[in-house]
Amino acid sequence: MNHFVIVDVTLRDGIADPEGSTIERALPALGFAGVTNVHAGKSFRLDVDAPNEAAALEKATALAERLLSNPVIENATARIATRG
Amino acid sequence: MVRIGVVVFPGSNCEYDAASGAAQLGAQAEFVWHSATDLSGFDGIILPGGFAHGDYLRPGALARFSPVMEAVARFAHDGGPVLGICNGFQVLCESGLLPGALQKNRGLTFLCQATTLVVTSTDSVLTSAATLGQELVIPINHFSGAYTCDDATLRALRENDRVVLRYKENPNGSRDDIAGVANGAGNVVGLMPHPERAMSTLLGSADGRVLLESFVTSNVTSNVAVA
């Protein structure tokens, strides 16, 4: 059966995040004060066919580590979610 | 005659320049479609610039899984010279054939300009004909060209003399001003600048010639070494 999985990909600590810092610098001009530590990343939504949630998660994690993220600069986390 | 294979992915766009550059230096350049699985008979392989597979996900992330990349890995493992230019460098990093990764430029600006490079190692198939400290004017043309790697990798690159080219003035935020790196054996090299676009003073610079000449002539020595 299909399991809905969300994979988040974010830059590893210590890796420069020009997108995040550009967004952060733009915030005061838009009236959003007091927002710091902005980081940009990617989010993927997948339907994974597997017998159970654990197996789906394992499959999605492998996929996330092999393709969706570059382990040299990024971390990937997969989680089971409900569509809504 | 030296035979150079220029790999063409869907979305490559510098393959003609790369083939022309190799041909101008006396090599026979042939295009190799990314579905190819056999690279026998070639003396060197170039992964050219462009947007392989649209650069979707990350530059090089999908190209890494093109069938030809297994053949490129075998070719490299056997000591064959492999050169990745711009997008080709990104593909080599994603494939694990070179260390590190290429990130979006500092300032999030697409950069298309001449840069001055400094040759910081001549121990590679791309720089063997150059001299240490030689300055070369070669254009860059990229959005994701900021070289990055962790501290341990950087230390290893420095200690083993694997940084072959550095920017004189860092244009994109690359770590340690790195413009090009080589693998341990020196037969796999990647760089963000485009030597194939610096082949004639009439078009701005001929400084790319010494690099491509190194690459084209490296075949002879490396083939002997492999044999």
Side-chain angles (χ1 to χ4, degrees), chain A residues 16 19 42 66-68, chain B residues 57-58 64 94 103-104:
Chain A
E19 246 175 323
K42 291 176 190 151
R66 181 119 189 270
L67 175 65
L68 299 181
Chain B
L57 195 56
R58 295 178 307 278
R64 171 196 168 189
E94 283 282 342
Q103 260 200 299
K104 294 184 179 84

Side-chain angles (χ1 to χ4, degrees), chain A residues 30-76:
Chain A
L30 294 170
F32 294 101
V35 181
T36 52
N37 268 318
V38 178
H39 291 286
K42 291 176 190 151
S43 176
F44 300 88
R45 277 122 218 276
L46 326 162
D47 281 334
V48 180
D49 184 20
N52 54 52
E53 288 192 347
L57 207 53
E58 193 182 332
K59 202 165 167 181
T61 302
L63 165 72
E65 285 168 0
R66 181 119 189 270
L67 175 65
L68 299 181
S69 69
N70 178 347
V72 175
I73 51 172
E74 294 168 326
N75 289 321

